[in-house]
Amino acid sequence: MKSMTGFAKRQCTIADRKFTVEIKTLNSKTLDLITKIPATLRTKELDIRALLSPLERGKVDLIITEENGPATAAHANSELISQRFADLSRLAQTLGQTNDHLLDTILAMPDVWGTANNDELTDTEWETLAQTISQTVADVDAFRLHEGEILKKDFIKHVDLIEQKLQAIPQYESERIANAKERIMRYFADAAIKEIDQNRFEQELIYYLEKLDITEEKIRLAKHIDYFRHTMDTEENSGKKLGFVAQEMGREINTTGSKANHVEIQKLVVGMKDELEKIKEQLGNIL
């Protein structure tokens, strides 16, 4: 089991350039890649995205920065500066203004500065960077696996509690029958009905209790709990399937609550719902 939350960072030096590769991942229904890379790597963007594909699903932010190389050396666009100085000097003369600080003003303009055009990485240099990216992806995957194991332990705890509450229900079921019978008899008494056909009464009571019977719900919920555990233990990338199983567990718990007709069973149902909600809160982060 893997979480979709991950982080990793690696560096490599290629000639006089130091590259830093940083990957952050969060939960998402699909693989959502966002890349921020130097201009010198634009032609490799498709290759970089392919290297990220093992992450499979989630919001993936990749940041590659380049330092200490010619790519980061700012240079002045002398042609643009000269043209702008000439234009502004003529305007200043027309307006009767001095141009004492005109050059300083122009140099403060960000668009007159740029970075030197760098040669693209050679095939060998690219292989070095690609290997660093792949290693960073592997680190993220290991991070996700570690986080997934933590979440798995949390899921097991909540599923165990749901099962414990499910197993506590039978102790109250015989009491439900007695309460139902007492409730119906009280109704007859309040209605001043003195003569009761005992056989007919028993038949109606059985029919009433069949409508409140939760045996099937308990059996199905127990099976869903077993399937949830089995899926966690045997399947990779099980987030979506576990979500479906949790939905089915919720249906059985809700039906049990609607049929319970007993305060102690209702308390157990509320407890099961609470544990299931804690599971659902984290399932969205499972790969």
Side-chain angles (χ1 to χ4, degrees), residues 201-234:
F201 174 74
E202 295 293 342
Q203 289 175 359
E204 292 298 327
L205 181 60
I206 291 171
Y207 175 72
Y208 176 70
L209 292 176
E210 283 179 347
K211 283 195 168 185
L212 298 180
D213 183 59
I214 55 176
T215 302
E216 290 187 8
E217 285 75 11
K218 291 188 298 176
I219 292 173
R220 285 195 292 265
L221 179 55
K223 288 183 177 179
H224 292 327
I225 290 172
D226 288 340
Y227 190 41
F228 192 95
R229 289 174 174 147
H230 176 75
T231 302
M232 283 195 299
D233 290 337
T234 62

Side-chain angles (χ1 to χ4, degrees), residues 102-113:
L102 189 55
L103 182 59
D104 292 338
T105 302
I106 295 172
L107 292 176
M109 298 177 181
D111 62 332
V112 302
W113 294 92

Side-chain angles (χ1 to χ4, degrees), residues 84-98:
R84 195 159 291 178
F85 185 86
D87 292 341
L88 293 178
S89 293
R90 284 194 296 270
L91 179 61
Q93 187 175 6
T94 301
L95 297 175
Q97 301 293 321
T98 64

Side-chain angles (χ1 to χ4, degrees), residues 13 60 99 101 139 195 204 214 280 282:
T13 301
V60 179
N99 58 358
H101 302 289
D139 291 344
E195 294 185 5
E204 292 298 327
I214 55 176
K280 288 181 176 179
Q282 295 293 345

Side-chain angles (χ1 to χ4, degrees), residues 11 16 83 131 145 226 233 244 272 277-278:
Q11 294 180 331
D16 59 347
Q83 181 62 48
Q131 184 178 10
L145 184 61
D226 288 340
D233 290 337
F244 295 143
M272 287 191 284
E277 283 304 310
K278 292 174 183 176

Side-chain angles (χ1 to χ4, degrees), residues 208-275:
Y208 176 70
L209 292 176
E210 283 179 347
K211 283 195 168 185
L212 298 180
D213 183 59
I214 55 176
T215 302
E216 290 187 8
E217 285 75 11
K218 291 188 298 176
I219 292 173
R220 285 195 292 265
L221 179 55
K223 288 183 177 179
H224 292 327
I225 290 172
D226 288 340
Y227 190 41
F228 192 95
R229 289 174 174 147
H230 176 75
T231 302
M232 283 195 299
D233 290 337
T234 62
E235 297 190 25
E236 294 184 2
N237 306 339
S238 56
K240 289 183 178 180
K241 180 177 285 189
L242 290 175
F244 295 143
V245 178
Q247 286 181 358
E248 294 303 312
M249 290 169 63
R251 287 193 181 96
E252 303 306 332
I253 293 172
N254 288 334
T255 306
T256 300
S258 66
K259 290 183 175 183
N261 207 24
H262 189 284
V263 64
E264 294 302 325
I265 296 178
Q266 289 285 8
K267 289 179 181 178
L268 291 171
V269 166
V270 170
M272 287 191 284
K273 287 182 178 181
D274 184 49
E275 299 303 328

